[in-house]
Amino acid sequence: ATASYEGADAIMLSAEAAAGSYPVQAVTMMNSVAEEVEGDETYRAIIEASRKIKRDTVADAIVHAARELAETANVAAICCFTHSGTTASLVSRERPTVPIIALPPFPETARRLSLSWGMPCATTGTVARFKMAVVKAARIAREMGLAAVDDQIVVTAGVPFNVSGTTNILRVAPCDESLIFSAEPG
């Protein structure tokens, strides 16, 4: 419980608890404790009070703005296209109240990011155009059950695509693909 209250990205069993006679029950209990903590009304206040705002780079400013937008504009999720995993990790650091979906091109990056706070992952392969990235993010958010067709998502990415360290785009987008295509021809 203390690790959850302190904002730990992940919790795990160690030593005897992991190798003991009841590993499934131990994980079930640990999950129950984490869900109880995250449902506690003081949990969010503690997380907010411990957030350190860092705006040293464009990427820092983008992820801070993504959290602010998501919480202000009633957005269903923040979708982060990330090559190395850094952008998604920065969003996780912000501890938004909405889910974060990491969208790396590589399974290795997705596996590493899956241990970060509040972040399911889906590998995307390489993406060449921002419009198609937005469409892919909307599809994945709906497929994961984190957004409905009438919701909006925040999408972060970097252009040029498939290059680490280029986070420079933030967009609020509809989850309805027809609206994405009608808004931007081509």
Side-chain angles (χ1 to χ4, degrees):
T2 300
S4 292
Y5 275 117
E6 291 180 355
D9 280 321
I11 52 177
M12 64 178 216
L13 296 175
S14 61
E16 296 81 17
S21 300
Y22 305 99
V24 172
Q25 292 85 346
V27 169
T28 301
M29 179 55 73
M30 187 169 51
N31 184 63
S32 175
V33 169
E35 287 179 352
E36 182 78 20
V37 167
E38 290 175 359
D40 181 0
E41 60 189 44
T42 60
Y43 170 75
R44 194 72 214 167
I46 292 168
I47 293 299
E48 292 292 328
S50 65
R51 179 183 296 130
K52 291 177 180 63
I53 297 174
K54 184 177 178 195
R55 295 188 200 127
D56 297 335
T57 66
V58 170
D60 289 328
I62 293 273
V63 301
H64 178 74
R67 180 187 60 80
E68 289 289 326
L69 268 169
E71 294 176 0
T72 304
N74 195 27
V75 171
I78 300 172
C79 301
C80 304
F81 283 88
T82 182
H83 193 76
S84 66
T86 301
T87 300
S89 295
L90 292 174
V91 174
S92 179
R93 177 188 72 193
E94 290 287 324
R95 300 298 195 253
T97 57
V98 300
I100 307 161
I101 304 171
L103 301 167
F106 311 115
E108 304 80 32
T109 306
R111 280 193 294 273
R112 186 171 37 81
L113 287 172
S114 67
L115 291 175
S116 297
W117 184 91
M119 193 168 353
C121 301
T123 54
T124 61
T126 57
V127 178
R129 293 179 41 225
F130 185 62
K131 179 197 250 180
M132 294 315 297
V134 172
V135 169
K136 190 173 277 196
R139 283 181 187 160
I140 290 169
R142 290 191 320 268
E143 288 168 2
M144 287 184 162
L146 298 174
V149 73
D150 57 342
D151 285 332
Q152 294 187 100
I153 55 173
V154 169
V155 179
T156 65
V159 173
F161 276 105
N162 308 309
V163 176
S164 293
T166 60
T167 303
N168 58 10
I169 295 177
L170 174 76
R171 177 174 175 192
V172 178
C175 285
D176 184 339
E177 291 176 40
S178 66
L179 296 176
I180 297 169
F181 284 111
S182 68
E184 296 175 28

